[in-house]
Amino acid sequence: MKLQMRTLLSVSLAAALAGCSLAPTYERPDAPVSSSYPTGPSYKADAAGTGVATADIGWRDFFTDPLLQQLIEQSLANNRDLRVAALNVEAARAQYRIQRADLLPSVGIAGKETAQRTPADLSASGQASTSHNYQVGAALSSWELDLFGRIRSLSDKALESYLALDETRTATQLTLIAEVANAYLTLRADQELLNLTRDTFKSQDDSYKLTKQSFDQGLSTALDLSQAEVSLRTAQSNLSQYTRQAAQDRNALVLLVGQPLSPDLTAALDNAVKLDDGMLPTALPAGLPSELLARRPDIRAAEHQLKGANANIGAARAAFFPTISLTGNAGTASASLGGLFDGGSGAWSFVPQITVPIFAGGSLLANLDLAKVQKNIQVAQYEKSIQTGFREVADALAGRGTLDEQIQAQQLLVSANQRAYDLSDQRFRQGIDDYLTVLDSQRSLYNAQQTLVNTRLTRLSNLVTLYKVLGGGWTERTVTAAQPG
């Protein structure tokens, strides 16, 4: 009996595992973008290659600022969005294991007692009787033989969902690192603007006091005094604005880090009051657009979703074919509990069942049509992710190719405004020009200085974006190709 049951299970298992798949053969769609990035006056040629792709540059080697490294390290350990993404991966892995388990039979030990009373008028002896039946043995629950790959297709879909979420977790990490870096740079820029505004406010206050003294002595007009006060109040308003922005920047940074900043970090941030133009490398090789398919986790996630939709078509097709399930048990049975393990008490049962779909009101065909439409949707989303990635890289390359020149021009503009202000102030003190010329020169200088700080921030943020959109940030240290032995 045991040999017969074991042989039956072996044959059934072999048949199920050898089942075919009705899913279409997966073919990666052609990338709907150009084979190269744009060229022209807005783009610089990549610097001489170092042999390391941008995606393989570790975030510690790209963000060399020690304070920023501490912030990134803490965010990777404590940020709640990244934690949720990691937990979603764990949930998807468990779901895949559950779906995969359906390919194998579920066998357990079952024991049961059946007690039945037969009334006298239904008993063959004419007397009421009570009977008992006891059974103990191995039981095979209803197990579907996956001859047409329905369960396997569902398992493949669950696997692709898990892989897509794992790629999404990586994409979340890349985004988090870039957000922390940009928040840190923004805080430093606003603190630099705050210091600039403090200096401007002090200068405006000194000018106002000087103009007030001249007005009291009859050397300046009421218009001069009013204009000096306008500049003073404007600087005072800007001082409040940048004080608020610096505080909000720090709050945003704390949220990204995921925990309160330590006193040491807080003190270090208080001293980070100037942007360093050389704090990020500019030699980031862009490679070819085709490399985005392998290096961008969001694009890889979209392709896994596409593969899952492709596998779902196989499950929908398999629903048109017969379903074969097996149920059985083998063990001992006896009318008395004490006789369960006596000789000759062996018992077994085997119940195969086949279900052939004949009429389902069109639901099977509708499910197949739905699966095909869902795959087409995933194709479009996959292509859109490639186009979005291409555009993001092209935009960042355009920024890298033009922002350096813009900063140089803005620095020359600040110098020119500084000379104009110095000359207008000198001419006013000599009585040649009125104070309105000084105020105009001072406002132009302040605006040019503000624009320079913001442009430098834009340049550094653009480098952070370029690093991210090329797939950088997934590893802590730079990954180098193995050298041949």
Side-chain angles (χ1 to χ4, degrees):
M1 178 195 66
K2 293 182 179 179
L3 180 60
Q4 291 175 331
M5 192 66 176
R6 188 181 300 115
T7 302
L8 181 61
L9 287 175
S10 300
V11 173
S12 300
L13 181 61
L17 295 179
C20 62
S21 174
L22 300 179
T25 301
Y26 174 75
E27 295 182 2
R28 173 184 287 177
D30 294 333
V33 294
S34 173
S35 59
S36 61
Y37 292 116
T39 57
S42 300
Y43 304 91
K44 285 182 178 178
D46 281 339
T50 61
V52 179
T54 297
D56 291 329
I57 299 175
W59 59 261
R60 284 192 182 275
D61 297 316
F62 182 77
F63 301 108
T64 56
D65 183 279
L67 179 54
L68 178 54
Q69 288 183 349
Q70 292 183 58
L71 294 170
I72 293 175
E73 183 178 6
Q74 292 189 13
S75 69
L76 293 177
N78 300 293
N79 183 268
R80 297 312 188 269
D81 289 336
L82 186 59
R83 187 172 299 177
V84 169
L87 291 173
N88 285 335
V89 173
E90 294 298 322
R93 180 186 295 141
Q95 186 61 45
Y96 165 66
R97 291 168 58 194
I98 292 172
Q99 190 67 58
R100 180 73 177 175
D102 288 341
L103 287 169
L104 302 174
S106 177
V107 180
I109 300 297
K112 71 175 182 177
E113 174 194 3
T114 303
Q116 180 177 349
R117 181 184 184 278
T118 304
D121 57 348
L122 296 179
S123 174
S125 63
Q127 294 181 349
S129 63
T130 301
S131 63
H132 295 268
N133 181 278
Y134 300 91
Q135 293 184 1
V136 175
L140 172 69
S141 61
S142 181
W143 172 44
E144 179 181 341
L145 297 180
D146 195 30
L147 300 179
F148 302 101
R150 188 186 73 86
I151 298 177
R152 181 173 285 100
S153 293
L154 294 176
S155 176
D156 290 343
K157 183 178 184 298
L159 174 61
E160 296 299 337
S161 296
Y162 156 63
L163 295 175
L165 282 173
D166 192 40
E167 295 293 352
T168 300
R169 183 204 60 77
T170 304
T172 302
Q173 175 176 317
L174 268 59
T175 300
L176 173 62
I177 291 175
E179 287 180 347
V180 171
N182 281 323
Y184 173 71
L185 295 173
T186 301
L187 174 60
R188 291 188 65 156
D190 283 341
Q191 290 186 155
E192 183 174 350
L193 289 170
L194 179 58
N195 284 343
L196 173 63
T197 304
R198 284 197 185 106
D199 294 340
T200 301
F201 175 74
K202 184 178 182 303
S203 175
Q204 296 285 12
D205 187 50
D206 292 341
S207 296
Y208 174 74
K209 290 177 181 178
L210 179 62
T211 306
K212 180 68 166 58
Q213 184 179 1
S214 298
F215 174 76
D216 293 339
Q217 296 174 356
L219 301 177
S220 297
T221 66
L223 179 60
D224 292 335
L225 182 61
S226 297
Q227 290 170 337
E229 184 176 6
V230 168
S231 296
L232 174 63
R233 302 311 171 197
T234 300
Q236 187 176 19
S237 175
N238 290 340
L239 185 61
S240 298
Q241 174 188 346
Y242 287 120
T243 301
R244 179 180 65 255
Q245 286 184 196
Q248 292 174 342
D249 293 341
R250 190 165 303 206
N251 293 337
L253 194 55
V254 170
L255 176 62
L256 291 170
V257 170
Q259 67 177 15
L261 301 180
S262 66
D264 291 342
L265 269 178
T266 301
L269 285 175
D270 290 339
N271 295 324
V273 294
K274 188 174 180 60
L275 286 175
D276 181 3
D277 289 332
M279 65 189 306
L280 296 178
T282 59
L284 294 175
L288 297 174
S290 58
E291 295 176 4
L292 285 181
L293 277 64
R295 307 319 303 261
R296 285 275 295 248
D298 56 334
I299 295 178
R300 295 200 301 263
E303 185 172 16
H304 283 304
Q305 294 287 5
L306 173 57
K307 291 179 178 179
N310 189 74
N312 199 40
I313 293 178
R317 286 176 173 175
F320 286 86
F321 293 85
T323 300
I324 301 175
S325 61
L326 305 179
T327 303
N329 62 74
T332 66
S334 175
S336 64
L337 186 60
L340 271 177
F341 300 102
D342 291 343
S345 62
W348 62 270
S349 68
F350 176 65
V351 185
Q353 179 179 334
I354 181 169
T355 303
V356 180
I358 297 177
F359 177 75
S363 64
L364 297 179
L365 184 59
N367 282 332
L368 178 58
D369 291 340
L370 174 61
K372 292 179 178 179
V373 171
Q374 289 174 335
K375 178 185 176 180
N376 291 335
I377 292 174
Q378 293 299 330
V379 169
Q381 291 179 341
Y382 171 67
E383 293 174 339
K384 176 67 179 297
S385 67
I386 295 176
Q387 292 174 334
T388 300
F390 182 90
R391 184 263 173 97
E392 289 174 346
V393 174
D395 284 350
L397 291 175
R400 185 181 65 174
T402 56
L403 282 167
D404 286 342
E405 289 79 2
Q406 184 178 347
I407 288 177
Q408 292 174 3
Q410 190 65 33
Q411 288 173 332
L412 294 175
L413 180 60
V414 170
S415 299
N417 275 283
Q418 183 69 58
R419 291 193 298 271
Y421 170 70
D422 293 340
L423 288 172
S424 63
D425 183 66
Q426 181 180 1
R427 290 171 64 87
F428 168 71
R429 295 179 186 278
Q430 294 173 353
I432 300 175
D433 288 336
D434 58 18
Y435 194 63
L436 178 60
T437 304
V438 179
L439 293 176
D440 285 342
S441 299
Q442 195 172 44
R443 280 194 294 266
S444 297
L445 174 60
Y446 178 53
N447 290 334
Q449 290 171 328
Q450 286 179 304
T451 302
L452 176 59
V453 173
N454 287 323
T455 305
R456 289 165 56 216
L457 172 62
T458 300
R459 172 185 170 274
L460 291 173
S461 296
N462 182 76
L463 289 174
V464 173
T465 299
L466 180 59
Y467 176 65
K468 171 199 158 189
V469 299
L470 288 174
W474 66 274
T475 180
E476 182 176 357
R477 295 294 182 183
T478 298
V479 178
T480 55
Q483 298 297 326

